[in-house]
Amino acid sequence: MLLQSFSKILQRIMNSRLSCMARATALLNPHQCRSLAGLSASDAVTTLTHQVKTLQMAGRKVSKLFLDIKGGFDNVNPSSICGVLRAKGVNPYLVSWTRSFLSGRSCRLLYQRSPRVFAPVSVGTPQGSPLSPPLFVIYVCRLHCEIPHSLSLSHVGDFGLTFSSASYRRNIQTLQKHYGRLKTRGSRLGVGFSVPKTEPIHWRTNRDRDPISNVPVHLHGSLFTPKSEVRWLGYWFSPSISTTPHFVKRLAKAQAAFVAVKRLSPPGIGLPPFLCHRLASSLLFPILSYGADAFVPTVHMVRKLSVFWHKVQRWTTNCFMSTPTDILAIEACLPPLPLLLSYK
């Protein structure tokens, strides 16, 4: 157990040093997120929405193809990634340590009456290691390519191709062509893309009066129809980039969690108020407000979210239904929802 603890500490130290090297030697593409400190899912979503709106303001039709790398961590080749680190001028000791970390590994399958025999593993990074995500992101950096009037954006294993032109049909043709190039690059690295998780979408503006385009994308020998709603990194996108579908989904999730939590503390009995407050602030509010750092809810949506938040405040304090909401917020030590969202 002590050896495993020291191993995790050492991996975090090497992760920190590799991150510093990645910034200094340009190991990563600028459009890769969640690989270095300060790059999160909200940064990827903000970049995507900004780019789409910028292209729309220029009068162009914008389409995006959402992709997912299949079994990404399991396909990292130690020799290939060490060659990338060496070519970028990374310190030799860090290259040697990475090769030693990824080489000589073994695994076994555990199930009922399994033989419990270890088998050697020549590729892949260990799941759960703090060093695996940055190594994988460096490994797939070569999938990114520069395309005029487009954006190639990724978040670890979630990949996206955005293209704009004068028509959606032209976008589809270009996306199909560049997907073929992307697939070829991926085959050289030993990675592929998941067919069920491939989703296209055509972005529109509220002033767009053209008919909605339903022209499918032909990939993997299958046709993929453009979606009316797409979930990416936990954020829900609609063709008009409206934030309402996202917060409708968050409200439904929070309501489902609230039903389960209320069973722990029915009125008059159950959990004390301070534990109810802890559940409200650490469980219900994060579920309800996820995505508020990149998406701004409409005024109407804020009212609907506030109605649910008032129910949470009332459950926390066990106050009467006639208690004013301003008093509820003070008694429950839970500020009004608009105030909390303004600090996200």
Side-chain angles (χ1 to χ4, degrees):
M1 194 68 183
L2 185 61
L3 182 60
Q4 295 179 359
S5 300
F6 277 112
S7 175
K8 290 291 184 182
I9 295 173
L10 182 58
Q11 290 175 37
R12 288 196 175 276
I13 294 174
M14 299 306 292
N15 182 17
S16 176
R17 295 186 178 183
L18 187 62
S19 299
C20 294
M21 284 288 180
R23 294 183 187 274
T25 60
L27 282 171
L28 304 176
N29 189 280
H31 294 148
Q32 286 182 288
C33 298
R34 205 195 164 187
S35 50
L36 299 175
L39 295 175
S40 61
S42 61
D43 296 307
V45 171
T46 303
T47 301
L48 174 60
T49 53
H50 172 74
Q51 185 71 11
V52 170
K53 291 181 179 180
T54 301
L55 293 171
Q56 287 178 337
M57 290 177 63
R60 305 179 69 88
K61 305 295 185 182
V62 188
S63 303
K64 186 173 183 67
L65 185 64
F66 292 96
L67 304 168
D68 184 81
I69 297 178
K70 179 171 55 178
F73 285 16
D74 299 334
N75 297 313
V76 176
N77 188 295
S79 300
S80 179
I81 192 171
C82 288
V84 173
L85 297 176
R86 194 181 302 108
K88 290 291 186 176
V90 177
N91 288 341
Y93 85 91
L94 190 54
V95 178
S96 300
W97 194 95
T98 302
R99 181 184 296 275
S100 175
F101 175 71
L102 297 177
S103 303
R105 309 191 70 88
S106 60
C107 70
R108 64 179 179 180
L109 299 178
L110 293 179
Y111 54 91
Q112 189 175 9
R113 297 180 181 179
S114 62
R116 298 178 182 270
V117 177
F118 282 93
V121 177
S122 59
V123 296
T125 58
Q127 296 285 346
S129 170
L131 199 57
S132 294
L135 287 176
F136 172 72
V137 172
I138 293 172
Y139 185 70
V140 299
C141 175
R142 287 169 287 177
L143 292 178
H144 286 264
C145 57
E146 295 296 330
I147 309 172
H149 306 292
S150 68
L151 174 66
S152 176
L153 190 65
S154 68
H155 185 273
V156 189
D158 296 300
F159 211 88
L161 291 175
T162 306
F163 187 79
S164 66
S165 68
S167 66
Y168 292 118
R169 190 174 296 274
R170 174 63 177 168
N171 291 348
I172 291 175
Q173 295 173 353
T174 306
L175 287 174
Q176 290 176 166
K177 181 179 67 175
H178 285 287
Y179 173 78
R181 297 178 181 176
L182 190 65
K183 186 177 179 181
T184 302
R185 291 189 178 192
S187 62
R188 295 171 184 169
L189 298 175
V191 298
F193 296 95
S194 175
V195 177
K197 296 182 180 180
T198 302
E199 296 177 308
I201 188 172
H202 296 314
W203 307 107
R204 296 171 58 87
T205 64
N206 295 329
R207 295 175 296 177
D208 198 345
R209 296 294 179 262
D210 295 337
I212 298 176
S213 177
N214 292 318
V215 180
V217 181
H218 186 267
L219 302 171
H220 305 288
S222 304
L223 294 177
F224 297 90
T225 306
K227 303 291 185 179
S228 58
E229 290 182 357
V230 173
R231 182 177 181 269
W232 190 59
L233 308 182
Y235 294 76
W236 285 90
F237 293 90
S238 65
S240 60
I241 320 184
S242 171
T243 61
T244 299
H246 172 79
F247 287 105
V248 167
K249 299 286 193 308
R250 302 314 307 176
L251 179 59
K253 284 184 175 291
Q255 289 172 338
F258 187 42
V259 170
V261 166
K262 283 198 299 185
R263 297 173 185 169
L264 301 174
S265 182
I269 57 175
L271 298 176
F274 80 93
L275 288 181
C276 294
H277 172 273
R278 186 173 298 178
L279 284 172
S281 58
S282 61
L283 175 65
L284 299 178
F285 177 70
I287 295 176
L288 184 65
S289 63
Y290 180 82
D293 48 356
F295 287 170
V296 179
T298 62
V299 175
H300 177 68
M301 196 68 228
V302 170
R303 293 197 190 103
K304 297 180 70 172
L305 297 175
S306 297
V307 170
F308 169 76
W309 192 242
H310 293 158
K311 294 180 181 179
V312 174
Q313 293 172 334
R314 205 174 301 279
W315 167 75
T316 302
T317 58
N318 200 20
C319 290
F320 294 107
M321 295 297 295
S322 58
T323 305
T325 56
D326 294 340
I327 297 177
L328 274 179
I330 297 174
E331 290 293 327
C333 295
L334 296 172
L337 190 63
L339 182 61
L340 291 174
L341 292 178
S342 64
Y343 286 95
K344 286 289 287 183

